[in-house]
């Protein structure tokens, strides 16, 4: 089955922006490693924190969001059918709002009006246009979400007694998570940052804005991760010639992600004053609960691999492992993503643990952590998706040659990220801070060991840049030069199609109700406390 | 109901037991009080302060190191872009130090590199933590939250003698 031309265009528009963003932001990332290792100095007109802001915004907000909507639009059309005219129109409105928002934010960063990093912590105050840009990106996603959710509802109306296609179900679950999560950052931007940066209010409640940001910031990382899980659950089994291990457990895992990824933001604020220890620990417990769906996912993946490998004649305890299609980048890339997620997930448990967090909070360990989660697991899975999605949408084929280059690209990426992130994790343990231009500290002996690790960042960063150049070559080939044909959009079938998937899994009102109840319990009292017992607010500072 | 493979059930049960025991250890360590100053919880001071009147508000009107007991000190610190007041601190070996810090401008991080002394310092709030310096040597205090283009200069030395 092929995606119609009009919907393919919508999806492609998102993907092109995503590809542009990762290439440019990747180059900025390389510059950062070179500056920090004191290999180069930037020209006086550019400052390190400015390119760090651009890197964060373009990677964490632009690359991810555009790629995810490009992929989910295509996935919903592939599994639920073409968009109606109204849905497609909403998709385009969403695309343009997001694009305009991105351009505004990037222009402000370029003009050095918004060197506040992508977390834009108050009371550092950017130009109001920067916040408007961020708001437009989020409003754009609401239109895009409307297209997808509305297409899913239409499918269910057309097929009253059937369960929805798994990929569409997962896209809707991801969007429910996203919509609820963005409420926090929208409230912070609309009620605090915008009026404050325009000068309509004099001061801002710093800890409240940080709390609203992290209410959004943690589910944001699951918004990145869940589309990768979609590919693992639905696409990878087909690529390896296997089946989906369990449709109902896959759906249940996604529901658990909705429940446990939102009321947990305090684990980013464990060392912060103004929030009670009890509330912090309560959210730490909920944070740990999110490990359960990840354990389920790990089991489902390896079961799928084993069953497929044995069907292909793999014998003995691990014989099936050799039967997997290691030479196929559509499999190898997401597999590397899964492999990376094992240490990445373990690091996450460390970060969320009260006392362990004390050692690594705001050190470069944390940078290492999200470079192997978002930059490793998520990015490498997205690379794998793009290798079949781009030619599918363009009516071309992934050739043997491009597949081979793709393998070099993802392996190089994994090695580069491995070197860089390992060095970050290790020197973070001895206190090397994150978000810092240089760390010589006047030759202080404690900081003396950090230089060598920063050289390793630069080595890793260089490999990552080479990988991105390779990626660009393959993408350009797949989009414009690869032979015309029909590249498959792989969707796996279920292992046990006769197994019924309970209807309550699709009862969204129930899950949304439970997640709001959890949010209410975890956040109401501490937020009321931050508002009722707030210190005198802060005026804005422009320290750049 | 949901059907779960037998092995998956075992896998999940092992996972849940591990999680619960891990959380129990984390929780007990965070909240148990043994001895005088064995607080291992996260720094969560709820004292408020006007960020524009820090230098007029006690104890920040007299920042510095004060002895409050036998080998026990209070270190009152003001953070601002890009420095710590006081800087270049000397502390006797084995001293227990109660650190009290606040910011007069943006968000800063107070970190003694390579130790568990680490906390956020947000304007409008006072944050506190206690640390005992068992070993002699030069310690590096640095700011670990971006606070402007001079952020990487924000550090000072702490000497345990």
């Amino acid at each position: 089955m092929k995606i119609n031309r009009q919907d393919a265009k919508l999806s492609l528009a998102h993907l092109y922006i995503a590809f542009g963003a990762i290439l440019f932001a990747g180059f900025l990332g390389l510059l950062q490693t070179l500056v920090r290792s004191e290999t180069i100095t930037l020209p006086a007109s550019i400052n390190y924190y400015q390119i760090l802001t651009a890197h964060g915004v373009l990677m964490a907000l632009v690359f991810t969001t555009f790629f995810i909507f490009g992929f989910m639009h295509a996935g919903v059309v592939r599994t639920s059918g073409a968009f109606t005219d109204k849905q497609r129109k909403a998709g385009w409105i969403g695309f343009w709002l997001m694009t305009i928002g991105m351009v505004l934010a990037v222009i402000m960063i370029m003009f050095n009006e918004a060197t506040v990093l992508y977390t834009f912590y108050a009371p550092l105050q950017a130009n109001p246009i920067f916040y408007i840009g961020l708001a437009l990106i989020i409003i754009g996603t609401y239109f895009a979400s409307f297209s997808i959710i509305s297409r899913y509802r239409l499918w269910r109306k057309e097929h009253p007694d059937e369960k929805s296609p798994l990929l569409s179900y997962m896209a809707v679950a991801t969007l429910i998570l996203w919509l609820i999560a963005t409420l926090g950052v929208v409230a912070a931007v609309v009620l605090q940052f915008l009026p404050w940066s325009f000068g309509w209010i004099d001061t801002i409640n710093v800890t409240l804005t940080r709390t609203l940001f992290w209410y959004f910031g943690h589910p944001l990382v699951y918004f990145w991760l869940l589309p990768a899980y979609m590919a693992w659950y639905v696409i990878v089994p087909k690529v390896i010639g296997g089946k989906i291990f369990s449709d109902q457990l896959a759906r249940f895992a996604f529901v658990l992600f909705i429940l446990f990824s939102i009321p947990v933001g305090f684990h980013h604020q464990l060392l912060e004053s103004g929030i009670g220890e009890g509330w912090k620990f309560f959210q730490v417990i909920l944070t740990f609960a999110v490990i359960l769906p990840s354990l389920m996912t790990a089991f489902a993946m390896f079961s799928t691999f084993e069953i497929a490998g044995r069907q292909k004649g793999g014998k003995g305890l691990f014989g099936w492992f050799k039967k997997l299609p290691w030479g196929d980048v559509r499999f190898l890339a997401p597999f590397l993503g899964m492999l990376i997620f094992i240490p990445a997930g373990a690091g996450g448990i460390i970060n969320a643990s009260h006392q362990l967090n004390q050692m690594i909070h705001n050190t470069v360990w944390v940078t290492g952590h999200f470079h192997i989660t978002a930059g490793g697991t998520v990015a490498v899975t997205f690379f794998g998706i793009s290798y079949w999605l781009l030619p599918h949408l363009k009516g071309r084929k992934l050739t043997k040659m491009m597949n081979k280059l793709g393998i070099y690209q993802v392996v190089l990426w994994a090695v580069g990220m491995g070197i860089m992130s390992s060095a970050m994790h290790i020197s973070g343990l001895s206190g090397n801070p994150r978000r810092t231009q240089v760390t010589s500290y006047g030759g202080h002996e404690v900081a003396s060991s950090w230089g060598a690790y920063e050289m390793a960042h630069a080595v890793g960063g260089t490999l990552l840049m080479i990988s991105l150049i390779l990626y660009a070559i393959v993408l350009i080939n797949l989009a414009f030069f690869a032979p015309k044909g029909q590249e498959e959009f792989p969707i796996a079938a279920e292992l046990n199609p006769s197994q019924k998937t309970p209807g309550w899994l699709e009862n969204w009102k129930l899950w949304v109700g439970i997640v709001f109840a959890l949010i209410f319990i975890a956040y109401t009292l501490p937020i009321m406390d931050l508002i009722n017992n707030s210190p005198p607010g802060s005026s804005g500072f422009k320290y750049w | 109901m949901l059907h779960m493979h037998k092995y998956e059930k075992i896998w999940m049960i092992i996972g849940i037991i591990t999680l619960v025991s891990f959380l129990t250890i984390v929780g007990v360590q965070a909240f148990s009080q043994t001895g005088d100053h064995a607080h291992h919880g996260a720094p969560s001071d709820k004292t408020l302060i006007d960020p524009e009147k820090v230098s007029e508000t006690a104890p920040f009107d007299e920042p510095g190191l004060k002895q409050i007991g036998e080998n026990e000190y209070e270190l009152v610190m003001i953070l601002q872009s890009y420095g710590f007041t006081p800087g270049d601190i000397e502390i006797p070996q084995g001293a227990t130090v109660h650190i009290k810090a606040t910011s007069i401008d943006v968000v800063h991080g107070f970190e003694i590199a390579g130790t568990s002394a680490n906390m956020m310092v947000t304007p409008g709030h006072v944050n506190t933590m206690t640390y005992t310096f068992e070993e002699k040597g030069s310690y590096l205090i640095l700011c670990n939250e971006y606070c402007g283009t001079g952020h990487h200069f924000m550090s000072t030395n702490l000497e345990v003698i």
Side-chain angles (χ1 to χ4, degrees), chain A residues 466-490:
Chain A
I466 298 171
S467 168
L468 278 180
I469 293 168
L470 213 50
Y471 187 46
I473 293 170
V474 179
L475 290 178
I476 291 170
N477 181 282
L478 292 177
F480 305 108
F481 301 105
K484 293 234 153 84
Q486 174 73 68
E487 182 64 41
E488 183 194 14
F489 188 136

Side-chain angles (χ1 to χ4, degrees), chain B residues 54-55 59-64 76-80 83-86 100-104 108 121 154:
Chain B
V54 167
S55 57
F60 296 97
D61 51 348
E62 287 177 50
V76 175
M77 261 202 162
I78 298 175
L79 281 71
Q80 73 186 97
F84 295 87
T85 312
K100 244 186 214 315
T102 193
S103 163
I104 60 167
H108 298 283
V121 180
M154 184 164 168

Side-chain angles (χ1 to χ4, degrees), chain A residues 47 49 53 115-117 119 121-124 203 205-207 210 245-246 248-249 252 269-278 280-281 284-285 288-289 291-300 349-350 352-363 428-439 441 444-447 450 496 499-500 502 504-505 529-530 533-539 541 543-544, chain B residues 1-12 14-16 18-20 22-31 33 39-52 80-82 101 103-129 137-159:
Chain A
N47 86 60
Y49 299 101
T53 306
T115 303
V116 292
L117 307 192
T119 44
Y121 292 142
L124 287 170
T203 62
N205 185 334
V206 173
T207 307
R210 290 170 62 85
F245 180 64
S246 166
Q248 43 166 257
L249 289 180
F252 188 53
Q269 299 175 282
L270 287 175
L271 304 191
E272 209 151 315
S273 38
I275 301 165
E277 264 187 272
K280 288 175 179 174
F281 186 67
V284 165
I285 296 174
F288 274 65
I291 296 161
L292 299 176
S294 284
L295 289 175
M296 288 167 65
T297 305
F299 192 92
I349 298 175
I350 292 172
S353 303
H354 252 60
Q355 294 81 9
L356 297 178
N357 177 263
Q358 194 91 30
M359 283 304 291
I360 52 83
H361 178 81
N362 270 0
T363 68
L429 282 177
S430 63
N432 190 356
R434 69 186 283 202
R435 301 179 147 181
T436 305
Q437 178 174 339
V438 287
T439 57
Y441 292 105
H444 198 285
E445 57 187 275
V446 175
W450 297 341
N496 303 307
Q499 198 176 67
K500 262 184 77 78
W504 49 264
L505 281 171
D529 191 29
L530 283 175
N533 299 313
S534 65
S538 286
S539 346
F541 292 86
Y543 280 159
W544 66 85
Chain B
M1 259 332 275
L2 296 175
H3 171 81
M4 199 177 251
H5 191 280
K6 193 175 87 193
Y7 289 163
E8 184 164 6
K9 277 185 193 152
I10 297 171
W11 164 251
M12 292 306 291
I14 295 172
I16 290 169
T18 315
L19 273 185
V20 170
F22 198 88
L23 270 172
T24 310
I25 295 167
V26 169
V28 166
Q29 253 197 315
F31 295 102
Q33 299 282 345
H39 179 253
H40 292 287
S44 307
D45 199 322
K46 298 188 89 177
T47 314
L48 303 179
I49 187 167
D50 185 339
E52 285 172 9
Q80 73 186 97
S81 296
Y82 308 101
S103 163
I104 60 167
D105 46 25
V106 297
V107 178
H108 298 283
F110 176 96
E111 173 189 322
I112 305 178
T115 74
S116 62
N118 194 348
M119 61 182 167
M120 297 305 295
V121 180
T122 42
H125 293 270
V126 177
N127 214 355
T128 45
M129 70 172 305
S138 299
Y139 290 74
L140 172 63
I141 300 181
L142 58 83
C143 171
N144 65 16
E145 183 59 85
Y146 167 67
C147 59
T149 43
H151 162 58
H152 46 286
F153 297 117
M154 184 164 168
S155 70
T156 192
N157 184 55
L158 187 150
E159 204 68 34

Side-chain angles (χ1 to χ4, degrees), chain A residues 316-346:
Chain A
L317 199 52
F318 292 110
W320 51 272
F321 200 69
K322 290 191 211 127
K323 294 285 174 187
L324 296 171
W326 298 107
D328 186 341
V329 71
R330 299 172 307 157
F331 165 71
L332 183 69
F335 182 83
L336 286 172
M338 295 174 201
L339 210 61
I340 295 170
F341 205 58
I342 298 169

Side-chain angles (χ1 to χ4, degrees), chain A residues 32-197:
Chain A
Q32 284 154 232
T33 63
L34 295 175
V35 171
R36 192 167 165 138
S37 58
E38 302 188 56
T39 314
I40 60 163
T41 41
L42 292 171
S45 55
I46 310 174
N47 86 60
Y48 172 85
Y49 299 101
Q50 193 181 358
I51 59 171
L52 180 56
T53 306
H55 176 80
V57 169
L58 286 173
M59 285 294 197
L61 300 176
V62 175
F63 165 67
T64 50
T65 310
F66 277 85
F67 189 91
I68 289 166
F69 278 101
F71 172 49
M72 292 205 307
H73 279 325
V76 168
V77 169
R78 166 75 170 82
T79 53
S80 290
F83 281 137
T84 64
D85 288 344
K86 196 172 138 197
Q87 289 157 358
R88 193 176 303 118
K89 201 169 168 190
W92 279 112
I93 295 174
F95 170 77
W96 284 112
L97 286 173
M98 282 159 64
T99 305
I100 294 167
M102 170 193 76
V103 170
L104 291 179
V106 169
I107 289 176
M108 284 302 108
I109 299 167
M110 271 173 53
F111 282 106
N112 205 18
E113 287 284 323
T115 303
V116 292
L117 307 192
Y118 95 97
T119 44
F120 57 94
Y121 292 142
L124 287 170
Q125 189 184 59
N127 188 306
I129 296 174
F130 174 74
Y131 303 118
I132 292 175
L134 297 184
L136 285 179
I137 294 179
I138 291 184
I139 296 167
T141 66
Y142 291 169
F143 282 87
S145 305
F146 167 82
S147 310
I148 292 171
I149 293 173
S150 150
R151 187 65 196 89
Y152 159 86
R153 289 172 58 129
L154 184 63
W155 191 95
R156 288 191 66 194
K157 225 165 146 187
E158 293 162 347
H159 306 80
D161 295 315
E162 292 174 51
K163 68 178 176 199
S164 58
L166 184 56
L167 198 65
S168 294
Y169 176 94
M170 289 172 158
V172 169
T174 306
L175 289 178
I176 288 176
L177 169 94
W178 173 252
L179 294 175
I180 299 173
T182 50
L183 294 176
V185 71
V186 167
V189 168
V190 172
L191 301 176
Q192 293 264 282
F193 282 99
L194 274 178
W196 173 66
S197 59

